[in-house]
């Protein structure tokens, strides 16, 4: 039999790559030493030291844990609908998930960046990326709610996002999958990747006061995969660094074809220069269609606006804007140390970790120490940019975070461990196993100018044998380590929601005192607010019926509604009249094809319902709000289409005509 050489080569490459699959360390123990329990014990009624905002991966949401306890405090719905909170189901939140493709009810959230002032986390906003239908979101940390979602044109797979500059001027979004630009014909053969596909990076401006996002400009570069990024800081503020892979520009079987080159690149972008080029009018206006969705807290309502243009800078037309730095073997994480001098590339197939020097990069640029070009972009000589290499750190380095003592911590996916090394002398100082297959890791403030040095959390992919079996799908996990001493110490592990990727954490004090307790009813500008029960009403406009309803312990006003007809579009505009912390009411109606509403004190939220059958429909509060919560209910009568039952509504007065005793009892109660 003749052996197909190409096939044999392919198989050899595959065999090599199989070894990069995750493996379980041999000493997969469950023992935590001595005082671990005391270190994570937060007594009932006591607060945690840190808020930890953890990406939910394919859940599309962001979860909030307390550290060191690992207690789950909240899941914030971001890109995925959440029937629990009515997110994406209420009329007010539906526009948040609008895109140029229509409503997209799910996404894949990988990274979180908290806003910074002078390189320190300031606790105002958390930004998150959508990896599938490219978007970025802003979560308001006063309300712990998603306040804005911005779609990104010319992109496919928004992965190297939403990394932030040290004064929150910009977050970036580099496309993972290069695609033909939106204003070009995308209906081309896939194997014309090299000619037709482009890699776009969006710079998204953030308004200092409102936090509102806009696409300031986009950079259009070669078709490669942008993986991760980080902004420069301190001396390197003004630069952004992106890891790239598939610089082979393969369009099929990437696991082999995008792993051929010995080195890919870290792309260094001079964003201050890009900003000036845009100011000088050098940006090309390009037609593009993308949604900008904002939630207005005074009307409790989101608006979606479709925008039609972006400013684009073609990288090749602006010498000095972008340089390539060779980085071994499909780099993933691209992390900048707290001083801004060292840039760490984590080649997931590399046997070492290269550390680049910002000063040397600047000198190499000045000296033109180049090694040719890549798609018109100067390639800096590897040695000219390199500070040094961390030798034999472990297998499958992915991500690096820093502490306050000049140390770095790198996650090793394949060898399932966290490796601590010194940034100055590049010596490995300690290693500790993770259970298992660590992806991202996080030190509170660990990618800022002011990292802390007490805790590190590893976010792991596989939890076989860690928890009680729950069928074929197991939870993923986070593991907390004490990093205050020379040796790292495992303290705790806890399951996570969805697949955790990146996370951020900040001292609780930075956030907790600004947290909104309730919405002031007198500031509610919702067009359908009822600020008291007297303002509650029901009226018909053609086949639309509007119900301005109030919710208060423990009744709905109105709670008897008649005159609805089959096929009507019924809008329950529910206002929670409570003015106290933690007294939400819920609202649900039998047969509704959407979800419940969960209405916070002072808020107005709307559920749309189209009854399809005549009959009696109970409505009720879904959130156990008082001892008489089970009484917080009512009925909606639905008559056949064309019926002449008039609209009527009431609470407490619609009594049987012949039952005076009941009538009096009702009057007394009222
Ligand atoms: Cu999970 Cu940040 Cu998408 Cu690495 S990426 S693990
Ligand atoms: Cu309101 Cu239960």
């Amino acid at each position: 039999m003749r052996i197909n050489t190409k096939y044999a080569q392919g198989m050899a490459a595959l065999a090599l790559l199989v070894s990069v699959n995750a493996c379980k360390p041999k000493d997969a123990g469950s023992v935590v030493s001595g005082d671990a329990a005391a270190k994570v014990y937060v007594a009932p009624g006591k607060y945690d030291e840190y808020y930890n905002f953890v990406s939910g991966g394919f859940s599309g949401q962001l979860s909030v844990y307390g550290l060191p306890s690992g207690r789950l405090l909240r899941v914030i719905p971001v890109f995925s609908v959440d029937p629990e909170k009515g997110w994406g189901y209420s009329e007010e939140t539906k526009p948040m998930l609008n895109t140029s493709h229509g409503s997209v009810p799910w996404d894949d959230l990988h990274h979180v960046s908290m806003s910074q002032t002078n390189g320190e986390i300031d606790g105002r906003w958390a930004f998150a990326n959508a990896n599938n239908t490219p978007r970025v979101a802003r979560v308001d940390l006063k309300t712990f709610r998603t306040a804005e979602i911005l779609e990104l044109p010319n992109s496919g797979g928004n992965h190297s996002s939403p990394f932030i500059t040290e004064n929150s001027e910009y977050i970036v979004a580099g496309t993972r999958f290069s695609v033909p630009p939106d204003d070009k014909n995308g209906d081309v053969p896939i194997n014309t990747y090299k000619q037709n596909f482009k890699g776009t990076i969006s710079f998204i401006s953030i308004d200092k006061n409102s936090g509102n996002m806009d696409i300031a400009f986009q950079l259009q570069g070669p078709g490669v995969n942008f993986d991760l990024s980080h902004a420069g800081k301190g001396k390197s503020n003004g630069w952004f660094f992106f890891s790239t892979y598939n610089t082979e520009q393969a369009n099929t079987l990437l696991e082999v074809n995008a792993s051929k080159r010995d080195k890919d690149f870290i792309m260094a972008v001079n964003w201050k220069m890009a900003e000036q080029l845009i100011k000088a009018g050098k940006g090309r206006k390009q037609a593009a269609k993308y949604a900008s969705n904002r939630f207005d807290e005074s009307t409790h309502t989101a608006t979606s606006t479709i925008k039609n243009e972006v400013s684009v800078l073609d990288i090749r037309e602006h010498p000095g804007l972008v340089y390539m730095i060779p980085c071994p073997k499909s780099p993933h994480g691209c992390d900048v140390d707290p001083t801004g001098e060292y840039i760490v590339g984590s080649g997931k197939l590399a046997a070492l970790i290269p550390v680049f020097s910002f000063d040397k990069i600047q000198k190499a640029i000045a000296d033109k120490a180049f090694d040719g070009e890549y798609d018109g972009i100067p390639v800096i000589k590897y040695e000219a940019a390199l500070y040094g290499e961390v030798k034999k750190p472990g297998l499958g380095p992915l991500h690096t975070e820093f502490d306050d003592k000049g140390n770095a911590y790198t996650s090793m996916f394949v060898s399932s461990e966290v490796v601590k090394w010194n940034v100055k002398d590049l010596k490995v100082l300690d290693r500790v196993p993770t259970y298992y297959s660590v992806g991202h890791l996080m030190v509170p403030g660990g990618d800022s100018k002011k990292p802390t040095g007490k805790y590190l959390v590893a976010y792991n992919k596989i939890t076989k044998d860690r928890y009680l079996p729950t069928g074929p799908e197991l939870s993923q996990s986070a593991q907390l380590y004490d990093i205050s001493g020379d040796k790292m110490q495992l303290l705790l592990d806890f399951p996570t929601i969805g697949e955790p990727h990146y996370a951020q954490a900040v001292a609780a004090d930075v956030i907790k005192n600004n947290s909104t307790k309730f919405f002031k009813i007198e500031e509610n500008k919702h067009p359908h607010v009822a600020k008291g029960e007297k303002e509650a009403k029901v009226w018909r406009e053609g086949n639309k019926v509007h119900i301005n309803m109030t919710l208060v312990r423990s009744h709905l006003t109105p709670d008897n509604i008649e005159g609805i007809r089959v096929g009507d579009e019924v809008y329950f505009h529910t206002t929670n009249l409570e003015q106290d912390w933690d007294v939400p009411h819920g609202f649900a109606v039998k047969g509704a094809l959407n979800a419940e509403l969960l209405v916070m004190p002072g808020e107005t939220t709307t559920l749309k319902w189209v009854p399809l059958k005549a009959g009696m429909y109970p409505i009720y509060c879904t959130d156990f709000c008082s001892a008489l919560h089970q009484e917080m209910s009512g009925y909606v009568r639905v008559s056949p289409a064309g019926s002449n039952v008039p609209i009527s509504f009431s609470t407490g007065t619609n009594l049987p005509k012949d039952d005076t005793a009941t009538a009096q009892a009702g009057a007394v109660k009222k």
Side-chain angles (χ1 to χ4, degrees), residues 411-460:
S411 56
M412 299 290 168
F413 179 77
V414 177
S415 51
S416 280
E417 59 188 335
V418 173
V419 172
K420 174 182 176 181
W421 49 276
N422 182 275
V423 177
K424 275 269 146 63
D425 65 20
L426 308 178
K427 292 258 161 33
V428 171
L429 300 172
D430 190 23
R431 54 181 70 238
V432 63
T434 59
Y435 308 104
Y436 307 98
S437 306
V438 56
H440 275 274
L441 40 57
M442 187 275 317
V443 171
D447 77 338
S448 74
K449 273 163 102 170
K450 278 272 169 63
T452 56
K454 194 166 173 185
Y455 299 118
L456 175 145
V457 185
Y459 301 94
N460 307 341

Side-chain angles (χ1 to χ4, degrees), residues 584-586 621-625 629 632:
H585 293 289
C621 169
T622 52
D623 184 297
F624 209 105
C625 50
H629 154 81
M632 194 167 173

Side-chain angles (χ1 to χ4, degrees), residues 110-111 159 228 332 398-399 439-440 461 501:
H110 281 221
H111 306 123
H159 196 260
L228 283 151
H332 188 58
L398 288 187
H399 297 280
H440 275 274
K461 308 291 187 190
H501 296 261

Side-chain angles (χ1 to χ4, degrees), residues 536-549:
K537 59 181 175 183
V538 181
W539 73 101
R540 172 179 290 284
E541 284 169 6
N543 74 332
K544 289 192 169 71
V545 177
H546 290 282
I547 302 165
N548 290 6
M549 177 182 278

Side-chain angles (χ1 to χ4, degrees), residues 5 339 645 661:
T5 336
T339 68
V645 175

